[in-house]
Amino acid sequence: MFQALIAAGVRLSDLLVAENRALAEFDLATAAMLAPEKRRAVEAFAAAEAAVRKAGGRAEGSEREALAGLSARLADLAAANRRMLERALAAQDAVVRTLAAAAVPKPALYGPVAPAGGHAVPPAPVGFAANA
């Protein structure tokens, strides 16, 4: 029973390490690809924890030490994961804002220059003829 919980926790910690590595490198595509697997690992860990609680078991000895270490590791990884996800989302938001600002049309800068204190004179129309 505790071995299943430990195995699920180790799997979850491995995925958090991989996702944190991808987020640290701003490899958002890899981080996104890991999300479904991480979600399944979280669900498996929660199910294993619920099974242990339902059975009312208490870990002793090496299992207790392993669970305590795993719990601390998961807490640290989860906190780092949250920070890095927030940083990645802020960076992505900045990129989107930059692209959106760049997409706004700018006024044409190739028109006639206005004389001092006056209005710009519109350019003379170009003459052309067309015969059908």
Side-chain angles (χ1 to χ4, degrees):
M1 176 175 1
F2 290 109
Q3 290 304 316
L5 179 60
I6 292 169
V10 168
R11 178 70 185 135
L12 178 56
S13 72
D14 290 346
L15 287 166
L16 285 170
V17 166
E19 185 178 45
N20 288 352
R21 186 178 308 118
L23 290 170
E25 297 169 359
F26 285 103
D27 183 357
L28 302 183
T30 299
M33 287 187 335
L34 290 169
E37 194 173 350
K38 183 178 82 169
R39 188 172 19 261
R40 287 190 297 272
V42 167
E43 291 168 358
F45 181 76
E49 185 180 29
V52 166
R53 289 187 191 279
K54 185 176 180 182
R58 295 192 57 94
E60 300 293 332
S62 63
E63 284 181 336
R64 183 180 181 96
E65 290 174 22
L67 285 169
L70 183 58
S71 176
R73 178 169 168 75
L74 285 172
D76 291 345
L77 288 169
N81 187 259
R82 181 182 182 105
R83 283 190 308 274
M84 284 192 254
L85 281 169
E86 288 170 351
R87 183 181 75 155
L89 288 173
Q92 187 175 30
D93 182 60
V95 168
V96 169
R97 286 178 187 271
T98 300
L99 293 174
V104 174
K106 303 289 187 234
L109 301 176
Y110 51 83
V113 178
H119 296 297
V121 178
V126 177
F128 66 92
N131 293 329

